[in-house]
Amino acid sequence: QSSLSSIKLSASLGHSGALYYLALHNYGEDPTDLVRFKSELLSAAEASPEAMALVGESYFSGSDGFPKRHDEALEWWKKAAEAGDAEAAVSAGALLYHGSLPQVQKDRSAAFQYYQMAGELGSTDGWMNVAACYAEG
């Protein structure tokens, strides 16, 4: 309980990481309270790359109180990637590589850039996708 109290205190002071973990904790406590979860997650996503990536995933799948919007998913994954989240960079690259009409047009050049960014952030998947892009031309 002491750890949870510390997280709540940090969240109340605006710490993005604490807001993210509190959102996940509260979702685990009551998965039906999607309004609260979405609100807490969006607050955390103001500065937490992990929260940004989860918002992107939620938009992509249309889950956790978010509508299914691939264009919104892409924007959140790009934001998370720019903040240092390697997996979000891979996700952005994949969505750009394959496209999702009508919301997201294929853009192989941008996909390559996000795959490369992911690799530089330490993602093996990112480097594998860079190699695949070279192999395909």
Side-chain angles (χ1 to χ4, degrees):
Q1 192 64 21
S2 174
S3 297
L4 182 57
S5 297
S6 295
I7 290 172
K8 286 181 179 180
L9 174 61
S10 295
S12 73
L13 296 172
H15 185 277
S16 62
L19 286 164
Y20 174 65
Y21 289 114
L22 185 60
L24 294 177
H25 169 76
N26 289 336
Y27 183 69
E29 292 285 311
D30 184 5
T32 64
D33 192 355
L34 294 177
V35 172
R36 179 179 177 182
F37 174 72
K38 184 177 177 181
S39 173
E40 290 174 343
L41 183 61
L42 288 171
S43 291
E46 291 179 18
S48 167
E50 296 88 357
M52 292 172 199
L54 183 54
V55 171
E57 179 58 36
S58 296
Y59 272 118
F60 183 79
S61 62
S63 62
D64 303 324
F66 292 82
K68 188 171 190 172
R69 293 280 312 270
H70 290 176
D71 56 336
E72 287 290 333
L74 179 60
E75 292 309 310
W76 280 101
W77 282 334
K78 285 178 173 181
K79 188 174 179 179
E82 296 294 332
D85 190 294
E87 293 309 309
V90 171
S91 296
L95 188 51
L96 286 163
Y97 187 86
H98 296 286
S100 177
L101 296 175
Q103 295 176 339
V104 178
Q105 300 291 320
K106 286 183 185 181
D107 186 340
R108 300 274 168 101
S109 177
F112 178 85
Q113 291 174 343
Y114 279 98
Y115 288 149
Q116 186 169 2
M117 179 189 298
E120 291 171 358
L121 289 169
S123 170
T124 304
D125 288 335
W127 287 127
M128 288 179 13
N129 284 303
V130 165
C133 288
Y134 276 119
E136 291 180 14

